[in-house]
Amino acid sequence: MKKMAGILSYILFLFGIASYIVIFLGNDSFLLTGVIISAIGFILALYAEKPFKKIGLFGNGLVLLIAFIIPFIVTTFFWNEP
């Protein structure tokens, strides 16, 4: 079960990074999909075995950091004037 969670986390990381690359090509409708997929992959990586756990945590965490956490911090604390 742990190995399957790791493989699924890795696959979700690939889908999350692919949807984030599509955002750079001009289609912003994949942002929410990529964040949700990466969040699910991050949670699954917590239960995975060793090699897939590192890939899942780092990869999905990086996608979440770039797509959700950094824009949230910037818009909340630094870009607070119209």
Side-chain angles (χ1 to χ4, degrees), residues 22-34:
V22 170
I23 292 169
F24 285 129
L25 298 175
N27 193 352
D28 290 339
S29 62
F30 286 102
L31 179 63
L32 183 62
T33 305

Side-chain angles (χ1 to χ4, degrees), residues 44-63:
L44 284 174
L46 294 173
Y47 300 110
E49 287 182 350
K50 204 61 158 172
F52 291 113
K53 185 173 192 167
K54 289 182 181 181
I55 295 169
L57 285 175
F58 180 73
N60 289 318
L62 189 66
V63 171

Side-chain angles (χ1 to χ4, degrees), residues 32-43:
L32 183 62
T33 305
V35 169
I36 290 173
I37 287 174
S38 292
I40 293 170
F42 189 81
I43 291 170

